[in-house]
Amino acid sequence: MKNLLKFKSSNIMLVAVLALIILVSGCAAGGEKDKQNVSGEESYKIGAVIDISGNSSSLGVPERDTLQMLVENLNAGGGINGHPVELTILDNKSDETEAVLAAKTLIEQDVLAVLGCASSGPSMAMINTLQKEKVPMISMAAASSIVEPVEERHWVFKTAQSDIVTVSNIISYLKENGLTKVAFLYMNNAYGDGGKKAFLTAARENNVEVVVEEKFEASDKDMTAQLTRVKSSPAQATVVWAIPPSASILTKNYRDLGIAALLIHSHGVGNQKFIDLAQGAADGVILPIGKLTVVEQIPDDDPQKKVLQSYIDDYTKKYNMLPDSFGGYAWDAFHLVVKAIEKAGPDRGAIRDELENTREFVGVSGVFNMSPRDHNGLDKESMVMVRIENGKWKLLD
Protein backbone atom coordinates (compact mmCIF):
# COMPACT_ATOMS: atom_id res chain seq x y z
CA MET A 1 0.00 0.00 0.00
CA LYS A 2 2.83 2.37 0.92
CA ASN A 3 4.48 1.72 -2.48
CA LEU A 4 1.18 2.34 -4.29
CA LEU A 5 0.76 5.73 -2.59
CA LYS A 6 4.34 6.62 -3.42
CA PHE A 7 3.71 5.67 -7.08
CA LYS A 8 0.55 7.83 -7.25
CA SER A 9 2.33 10.77 -5.60
CA SER A 10 5.16 10.58 -8.14
CA ASN A 11 2.69 10.56 -11.02
CA ILE A 12 0.86 13.58 -9.62
CA MET A 13 4.14 15.49 -9.35
CA LEU A 14 5.07 14.49 -12.90
CA VAL A 15 1.73 15.76 -14.22
CA ALA A 16 2.17 19.04 -12.31
CA VAL A 17 5.67 19.55 -13.73
CA LEU A 18 4.45 18.86 -17.27
CA ALA A 19 1.56 21.31 -16.81
CA LEU A 20 3.97 24.00 -15.63
CA ILE A 21 6.22 23.43 -18.65
CA ILE A 22 3.22 23.78 -20.98
CA LEU A 23 2.10 26.97 -19.20
CA VAL A 24 5.53 28.62 -19.42
CA SER A 25 5.87 27.66 -23.08
CA GLY A 26 2.50 29.26 -23.79
CA CYS A 27 3.69 32.63 -22.45
CA ALA A 28 5.86 33.05 -25.52
CA ALA A 29 3.70 33.58 -28.57
CA GLY A 30 4.47 30.87 -31.07
CA GLY A 31 6.38 28.85 -28.43
CA GLU A 32 8.41 25.73 -29.16
CA LYS A 33 6.46 24.97 -32.33
CA ASP A 34 7.81 28.14 -33.91
CA LYS A 35 11.39 27.37 -32.87
CA GLN A 36 11.31 24.06 -34.71
CA ASN A 37 9.40 24.72 -37.89
CA VAL A 38 12.23 25.79 -40.15
CA SER A 39 15.40 23.95 -41.03
CA GLY A 40 17.11 23.97 -37.64
CA GLU A 41 18.27 27.61 -37.83
CA GLU A 42 18.67 29.57 -34.59
CA SER A 43 15.65 31.62 -33.52
CA TYR A 44 15.57 35.39 -33.76
CA LYS A 45 14.17 36.74 -30.51
CA ILE A 46 11.81 39.72 -30.49
CA GLY A 47 10.06 41.07 -27.39
CA ALA A 48 6.81 42.96 -26.92
CA VAL A 49 5.54 44.86 -23.86
CA ILE A 50 1.83 45.54 -24.18
CA ASP A 51 -1.03 46.91 -22.06
CA ILE A 52 -2.95 43.64 -22.05
CA SER A 53 -4.68 44.36 -18.73
CA GLY A 54 -5.48 47.60 -16.88
CA ASN A 55 -6.93 50.90 -18.11
CA SER A 56 -5.43 50.64 -21.61
CA SER A 57 -6.36 47.02 -22.27
CA SER A 58 -8.81 47.94 -25.05
CA LEU A 59 -5.74 49.13 -26.98
CA GLY A 60 -3.39 46.35 -25.96
CA VAL A 61 -5.50 43.23 -26.52
CA PRO A 62 -5.90 43.69 -30.30
CA GLU A 63 -2.17 44.45 -30.49
CA ARG A 64 -1.34 41.19 -28.70
CA ASP A 65 -3.72 39.22 -30.91
CA THR A 66 -2.28 40.77 -34.07
CA LEU A 67 1.30 39.98 -33.06
CA GLN A 68 0.43 36.38 -32.22
CA MET A 69 -1.24 35.97 -35.61
CA LEU A 70 1.66 37.55 -37.48
CA VAL A 71 4.39 35.49 -35.86
CA GLU A 72 2.48 32.29 -36.54
CA ASN A 73 2.09 33.23 -40.20
CA LEU A 74 5.72 34.31 -40.49
CA ASN A 75 7.12 31.10 -39.04
CA ALA A 76 4.74 28.98 -41.11
CA GLY A 77 6.24 30.67 -44.15
CA GLY A 78 9.85 30.04 -43.17
CA GLY A 79 10.61 32.81 -40.66
CA ILE A 80 13.21 35.48 -41.43
CA ASN A 81 15.75 34.18 -43.94
CA GLY A 82 15.12 30.68 -42.59
CA HIS A 83 15.30 31.69 -38.92
CA PRO A 84 12.10 31.17 -36.89
CA VAL A 85 11.03 34.15 -34.80
CA GLU A 86 10.58 33.65 -31.07
CA LEU A 87 8.23 36.40 -29.93
CA THR A 88 7.81 36.92 -26.19
CA ILE A 89 4.85 39.10 -25.20
CA LEU A 90 4.71 40.51 -21.66
CA ASP A 91 1.81 42.37 -19.99
CA ASN A 92 2.69 45.75 -18.45
CA LYS A 93 -0.78 45.95 -16.82
CA SER A 94 -1.04 49.54 -18.18
CA ASP A 95 1.56 50.52 -15.59
CA GLU A 96 4.83 52.37 -16.17
CA THR A 97 6.83 50.50 -13.54
CA GLU A 98 5.64 47.16 -14.88
CA ALA A 99 6.67 48.27 -18.37
CA VAL A 100 10.23 48.98 -17.26
CA LEU A 101 10.46 45.64 -15.44
CA ALA A 102 9.19 43.85 -18.55
CA ALA A 103 11.73 45.66 -20.73
CA LYS A 104 14.54 44.54 -18.42
CA THR A 105 13.28 40.96 -18.59
CA LEU A 106 13.37 41.05 -22.37
CA ILE A 107 16.87 42.55 -22.40
CA GLU A 108 18.04 39.66 -20.22
CA GLN A 109 16.55 37.31 -22.85
CA ASP A 110 18.77 38.99 -25.44
CA VAL A 111 15.96 40.10 -27.76
CA LEU A 112 16.88 41.96 -30.94
CA ALA A 113 14.16 44.60 -30.52
CA VAL A 114 11.21 45.50 -28.28
CA LEU A 115 7.73 46.42 -29.55
CA GLY A 116 5.51 48.50 -27.27
CA CYS A 117 3.74 49.80 -25.48
CA ALA A 118 0.12 50.42 -26.51
CA SER A 119 -0.14 53.63 -24.46
CA SER A 120 2.16 56.62 -24.17
CA GLY A 121 3.04 56.58 -20.45
CA PRO A 122 4.45 53.03 -20.34
CA SER A 123 6.18 53.66 -23.69
CA MET A 124 7.90 56.74 -22.29
CA ALA A 125 8.89 54.83 -19.15
CA MET A 126 10.82 52.18 -21.14
CA ILE A 127 12.85 54.57 -23.27
CA ASN A 128 15.84 55.16 -20.98
CA THR A 129 16.21 51.47 -20.16
CA LEU A 130 16.21 50.37 -23.78
CA GLN A 131 18.37 53.22 -25.02
CA LYS A 132 20.96 52.54 -22.32
CA GLU A 133 21.23 48.93 -23.53
CA LYS A 134 21.08 50.01 -27.21
CA VAL A 135 17.99 47.96 -28.01
CA PRO A 136 15.74 49.18 -30.87
CA MET A 137 12.23 50.04 -29.64
CA ILE A 138 9.09 50.52 -31.71
CA SER A 139 6.26 52.08 -29.71
CA MET A 140 2.63 51.69 -30.78
CA ALA A 141 1.44 54.78 -28.86
CA ALA A 142 0.63 58.32 -29.98
CA ALA A 143 2.56 60.93 -28.01
CA SER A 144 5.07 62.78 -30.17
CA SER A 145 7.44 62.98 -27.19
CA ILE A 146 8.07 59.23 -27.54
CA VAL A 147 10.26 59.97 -30.58
CA GLU A 148 11.04 63.66 -30.01
CA PRO A 149 13.41 65.32 -29.73
CA VAL A 150 14.74 62.76 -32.17
CA GLU A 151 18.39 63.46 -31.27
CA GLU A 152 17.55 62.12 -27.79
CA ARG A 153 15.61 59.11 -29.16
CA HIS A 154 18.33 57.44 -31.18
CA TRP A 155 16.94 53.91 -30.61
CA VAL A 156 13.20 54.72 -30.49
CA PHE A 157 10.59 54.60 -33.27
CA LYS A 158 6.79 54.53 -33.30
CA THR A 159 3.93 53.46 -35.56
CA ALA A 160 0.85 55.32 -34.27
CA GLN A 161 0.26 58.68 -35.88
CA SER A 162 1.78 61.35 -33.61
CA ASP A 163 -0.48 63.78 -31.79
CA ILE A 164 0.94 66.54 -34.00
CA VAL A 165 -0.38 64.74 -37.10
CA THR A 166 -3.75 64.19 -35.43
CA VAL A 167 -3.97 67.83 -34.32
CA SER A 168 -3.17 69.00 -37.83
CA ASN A 169 -6.23 67.15 -39.16
CA ILE A 170 -8.48 68.52 -36.40
CA ILE A 171 -7.33 72.09 -36.94
CA SER A 172 -7.99 71.77 -40.68
CA TYR A 173 -11.51 70.50 -39.95
CA LEU A 174 -12.19 73.40 -37.52
CA LYS A 175 -11.01 75.99 -40.04
CA GLU A 176 -12.95 74.44 -42.93
CA ASN A 177 -16.13 74.60 -40.83
CA GLY A 178 -15.57 78.09 -39.41
CA LEU A 179 -15.21 76.88 -35.79
CA THR A 180 -12.97 79.35 -33.95
CA LYS A 181 -13.91 78.87 -30.27
CA VAL A 182 -13.25 75.46 -28.68
CA ALA A 183 -13.13 73.73 -25.33
CA PHE A 184 -10.23 71.32 -24.76
CA LEU A 185 -10.42 68.38 -22.32
CA TYR A 186 -7.69 65.79 -21.78
CA MET A 187 -6.60 62.83 -19.70
CA ASN A 188 -4.07 63.67 -16.98
CA ASN A 189 -1.31 61.40 -18.32
CA ALA A 190 1.40 61.30 -21.01
CA TYR A 191 -1.12 60.80 -23.85
CA GLY A 192 -3.30 63.70 -22.70
CA ASP A 193 -0.35 65.97 -22.00
CA GLY A 194 1.05 65.33 -25.47
CA GLY A 195 -2.28 66.12 -27.10
CA LYS A 196 -2.70 69.25 -25.00
CA LYS A 197 0.75 70.60 -25.90
CA ALA A 198 0.27 69.92 -29.62
CA PHE A 199 -3.29 71.26 -29.77
CA LEU A 200 -2.71 74.48 -27.80
CA THR A 201 0.32 75.30 -29.95
CA ALA A 202 -1.56 74.66 -33.20
CA ALA A 203 -4.62 76.58 -31.96
CA ARG A 204 -2.52 79.70 -31.26
CA GLU A 205 -0.89 79.46 -34.69
CA ASN A 206 -4.27 79.14 -36.44
CA ASN A 207 -6.29 81.73 -34.49
CA VAL A 208 -8.46 79.14 -32.76
CA GLU A 209 -9.41 80.34 -29.26
CA VAL A 210 -9.46 77.78 -26.42
CA VAL A 211 -12.22 79.15 -24.17
CA VAL A 212 -12.22 76.26 -21.68
CA GLU A 213 -9.40 73.88 -20.67
CA GLU A 214 -10.11 70.98 -18.31
CA LYS A 215 -8.46 67.70 -17.39
CA PHE A 216 -9.58 64.45 -15.77
CA GLU A 217 -8.01 61.22 -14.55
CA ALA A 218 -8.01 58.05 -16.65
CA SER A 219 -9.83 56.28 -13.80
CA ASP A 220 -12.56 58.94 -13.35
CA LYS A 221 -16.14 57.69 -13.52
CA ASP A 222 -17.91 61.03 -14.04
CA MET A 223 -16.78 64.20 -15.86
CA THR A 224 -19.99 66.20 -15.34
CA ALA A 225 -18.20 68.89 -13.32
CA GLN A 226 -15.73 69.67 -16.11
CA LEU A 227 -18.43 69.51 -18.79
CA THR A 228 -20.69 71.92 -16.91
CA ARG A 229 -18.07 74.61 -17.59
CA VAL A 230 -18.09 73.67 -21.26
CA LYS A 231 -21.87 73.96 -21.44
CA SER A 232 -21.83 77.50 -20.04
CA SER A 233 -19.00 78.60 -22.35
CA PRO A 234 -19.17 80.01 -25.92
CA ALA A 235 -17.37 76.93 -27.28
CA GLN A 236 -18.55 75.92 -30.76
CA ALA A 237 -16.74 72.58 -30.53
CA THR A 238 -15.17 70.44 -27.81
CA VAL A 239 -11.93 68.58 -28.50
CA VAL A 240 -11.18 65.63 -26.20
CA TRP A 241 -7.87 63.75 -25.84
CA ALA A 242 -8.58 60.42 -24.14
CA ILE A 243 -8.97 56.67 -24.59
CA PRO A 244 -11.70 54.29 -23.40
CA PRO A 245 -13.12 53.80 -20.88
CA SER A 246 -12.85 57.43 -19.70
CA ALA A 247 -13.43 58.74 -23.24
CA SER A 248 -16.70 56.78 -23.41
CA ILE A 249 -17.84 57.99 -19.98
CA LEU A 250 -17.15 61.61 -20.95
CA THR A 251 -19.08 61.17 -24.18
CA LYS A 252 -22.10 59.79 -22.35
CA ASN A 253 -21.91 62.65 -19.79
CA TYR A 254 -21.70 65.09 -22.71
CA ARG A 255 -24.93 63.84 -24.27
CA ASP A 256 -26.70 63.63 -20.90
CA LEU A 257 -25.97 67.34 -20.30
CA GLY A 258 -27.36 68.22 -23.73
CA ILE A 259 -24.29 70.20 -24.79
CA ALA A 260 -24.86 71.54 -28.30
CA ALA A 261 -21.21 72.11 -29.29
CA LEU A 262 -19.73 69.62 -31.75
CA LEU A 263 -17.80 66.81 -30.02
CA ILE A 264 -14.42 65.93 -31.57
CA HIS A 265 -12.20 63.15 -30.22
CA SER A 266 -8.62 62.13 -30.96
CA HIS A 267 -7.60 58.82 -32.58
CA GLY A 268 -7.38 57.35 -29.07
CA VAL A 269 -11.01 56.25 -29.44
CA GLY A 270 -10.48 54.38 -32.69
CA ASN A 271 -12.02 51.05 -31.69
CA GLN A 272 -15.43 49.46 -31.26
CA LYS A 273 -14.90 49.38 -27.49
CA PHE A 274 -15.29 53.17 -27.36
CA ILE A 275 -18.60 53.01 -29.19
CA ASP A 276 -19.95 50.12 -27.13
CA LEU A 277 -19.04 51.67 -23.76
CA ALA A 278 -20.64 55.00 -24.76
CA GLN A 279 -24.01 53.21 -25.02
CA GLY A 280 -25.27 55.09 -28.06
CA ALA A 281 -23.78 58.45 -27.07
CA ALA A 282 -20.91 58.15 -29.57
CA ASP A 283 -23.17 58.88 -32.55
CA GLY A 284 -22.23 62.28 -33.96
CA VAL A 285 -18.64 62.16 -32.65
CA ILE A 286 -16.04 63.30 -35.20
CA LEU A 287 -12.41 62.26 -35.19
CA PRO A 288 -9.30 61.81 -37.34
CA ILE A 289 -8.29 58.16 -37.71
CA GLY A 290 -6.35 55.78 -39.91
CA LYS A 291 -8.07 54.38 -43.01
CA LEU A 292 -8.60 50.86 -41.65
CA THR A 293 -12.04 51.57 -40.18
CA VAL A 294 -13.36 52.93 -43.49
CA VAL A 295 -11.48 50.77 -45.97
CA GLU A 296 -14.62 50.08 -48.03
CA GLN A 297 -15.22 53.83 -48.38
CA ILE A 298 -11.75 54.87 -49.60
CA PRO A 299 -10.87 54.84 -53.34
CA ASP A 300 -9.64 51.60 -54.89
CA ASP A 301 -6.45 53.30 -56.03
CA ASP A 302 -5.45 54.30 -52.49
CA PRO A 303 -1.92 52.90 -51.93
CA GLN A 304 -2.95 51.34 -48.61
CA LYS A 305 -6.14 49.64 -49.73
CA LYS A 306 -4.60 46.25 -50.57
CA VAL A 307 -2.67 46.09 -47.28
CA LEU A 308 -5.71 47.12 -45.24
CA GLN A 309 -7.97 44.53 -46.86
CA SER A 310 -5.37 41.80 -46.42
CA TYR A 311 -5.06 42.58 -42.69
CA ILE A 312 -8.82 42.59 -42.27
CA ASP A 313 -9.15 39.25 -44.06
CA ASP A 314 -6.39 37.57 -42.04
CA TYR A 315 -7.58 38.91 -38.68
CA THR A 316 -11.23 38.12 -39.34
CA LYS A 317 -10.38 34.58 -40.41
CA LYS A 318 -8.26 34.06 -37.28
CA TYR A 319 -10.46 35.71 -34.65
CA ASN A 320 -13.91 35.95 -36.29
CA MET A 321 -14.02 39.70 -35.64
CA LEU A 322 -12.80 42.88 -37.33
CA PRO A 323 -9.42 44.38 -36.37
CA ASP A 324 -9.06 47.99 -35.21
CA SER A 325 -6.50 50.77 -35.53
CA PHE A 326 -4.57 49.63 -32.46
CA GLY A 327 -4.04 46.18 -33.91
CA GLY A 328 -2.90 48.01 -37.03
CA TYR A 329 -0.16 49.77 -35.06
CA ALA A 330 1.11 46.33 -34.02
CA TRP A 331 0.92 45.09 -37.63
CA ASP A 332 3.14 47.97 -38.69
CA ALA A 333 5.61 47.57 -35.82
CA PHE A 334 6.02 43.84 -36.47
CA HIS A 335 6.54 44.19 -40.20
CA LEU A 336 8.95 47.11 -39.79
CA VAL A 337 11.20 45.16 -37.44
CA VAL A 338 11.00 41.99 -39.54
CA LYS A 339 11.91 43.96 -42.64
CA ALA A 340 14.86 45.50 -40.79
CA ILE A 341 16.11 42.12 -39.51
CA GLU A 342 15.83 40.64 -43.00
CA LYS A 343 18.36 43.22 -44.20
CA ALA A 344 20.50 43.66 -41.10
CA GLY A 345 20.58 40.20 -39.54
CA PRO A 346 20.76 39.70 -35.75
CA ASP A 347 22.59 42.96 -35.02
CA ARG A 348 20.77 45.55 -32.90
CA GLY A 349 22.72 48.52 -34.24
CA ALA A 350 22.22 47.51 -37.85
CA ILE A 351 18.51 46.89 -37.20
CA ARG A 352 18.20 50.42 -35.79
CA ASP A 353 19.89 51.85 -38.86
CA GLU A 354 17.54 49.93 -41.18
CA LEU A 355 14.48 51.20 -39.28
CA GLU A 356 15.70 54.78 -39.63
CA ASN A 357 16.17 54.27 -43.36
CA THR A 358 12.64 52.92 -43.95
CA ARG A 359 11.20 54.47 -47.10
CA GLU A 360 7.77 54.11 -48.74
CA PHE A 361 6.72 51.23 -46.50
CA VAL A 362 2.98 50.81 -47.03
CA GLY A 363 1.45 49.85 -43.70
CA VAL A 364 -1.93 49.78 -41.99
CA SER A 365 -1.42 53.20 -40.37
CA GLY A 366 -0.05 54.94 -43.43
CA VAL A 367 2.94 55.06 -45.75
CA PHE A 368 6.07 55.24 -43.57
CA ASN A 369 9.07 57.38 -44.48
CA MET A 370 11.51 57.39 -41.57
CA SER A 371 14.63 59.53 -41.44
CA PRO A 372 17.25 60.76 -38.93
CA ARG A 373 14.83 63.67 -38.27
CA ASP A 374 11.60 61.66 -38.16
CA HIS A 375 11.25 58.35 -36.28
CA ASN A 376 7.48 58.14 -36.91
CA GLY A 377 7.47 58.69 -40.64
CA LEU A 378 3.75 59.41 -41.06
CA ASP A 379 2.24 62.62 -42.38
CA LYS A 380 -1.21 64.22 -42.35
CA GLU A 381 -2.34 62.05 -45.28
CA SER A 382 -2.13 58.94 -43.10
CA MET A 383 -5.44 59.94 -41.47
CA VAL A 384 -8.98 60.70 -42.60
CA MET A 385 -11.83 62.45 -40.82
CA VAL A 386 -14.77 60.25 -39.87
CA ARG A 387 -18.10 60.62 -38.05
CA ILE A 388 -19.77 57.90 -36.01
CA GLU A 389 -23.28 57.23 -37.27
CA ASN A 390 -25.54 54.49 -35.91
CA GLY A 391 -22.51 52.98 -34.20
CA LYS A 392 -20.52 52.81 -37.47
CA TRP A 393 -17.61 54.77 -38.91
CA LYS A 394 -18.50 57.04 -41.84
CA LEU A 395 -15.86 58.75 -43.97
CA LEU A 396 -16.35 62.51 -44.25
CA ASP A 397 -15.72 64.29 -47.53
Side-chain angles (χ1 to χ4, degrees), residues 182-209:
V182 302
F184 186 80
L185 285 77
Y186 62 101
M187 293 171 65
N188 186 27
N189 59 17
Y191 178 62
D193 289 342
K196 171 192 168 187
K197 180 180 178 182
F199 186 80
L200 295 185
T201 299
R204 282 194 299 272
E205 293 173 350
N206 289 274
N207 298 317
V208 173
E209 183 182 1

Side-chain angles (χ1 to χ4, degrees), residues 5-24:
L5 289 173
K6 184 177 180 180
F7 175 76
K8 288 184 175 178
S9 177
S10 297
N11 277 356
I12 292 171
M13 289 185 64
L14 178 60
V15 170
V17 170
L18 289 173
L20 179 60
I21 291 172
I22 292 170
L23 178 62
V24 171

Side-chain angles (χ1 to χ4, degrees), residues 2 18 64 136 164 190 210 219 249 284 311 336 338 362 378 381:
K2 184 177 180 180
L18 289 173
R64 176 202 60 191
I164 293 173
V210 178
S219 57
I249 295 170
Y311 175 43
L336 283 168
V338 167
V362 181
L378 295 175
E381 302 307 314

Side-chain angles (χ1 to χ4, degrees), residues 39-115:
S39 66
E41 296 284 357
E42 183 180 357
S43 298
Y44 286 160
K45 296 180 180 179
I46 300 174
V49 182
I50 302 178
D51 317 48
I52 298 171
S53 60
N55 286 334
S56 303
S57 61
S58 67
L59 284 59
V61 169
E63 293 181 351
R64 176 202 60 191
D65 293 346
T66 296
L67 291 177
Q68 289 177 335
M69 177 187 75
L70 292 176
V71 76
E72 288 175 9
N73 292 346
L74 178 69
N75 286 334
I80 302 176
N81 299 329
H83 295 263
V85 169
E86 183 182 345
L87 175 64
T88 300
I89 301 175
L90 300 179
D91 179 13
N92 64 26
K93 304 175 185 175
S94 303
D95 179 85
E96 296 177 8
T97 300
E98 292 284 346
V100 174
L101 293 174
K104 290 179 178 177
T105 297
L106 293 173
I107 291 169
E108 291 173 355
Q109 294 180 8
D110 204 23
V111 298
L112 295 175
V114 172
L115 314 182

Side-chain angles (χ1 to χ4, degrees), residues 51 96 117-125 139 141-146 163 190-192:
D51 317 48
E96 296 177 8
C117 303
S119 56
S120 297
S123 292
M124 292 288 293
S139 171
S144 299
S145 54
I146 293 170
D163 36 29
Y191 178 62

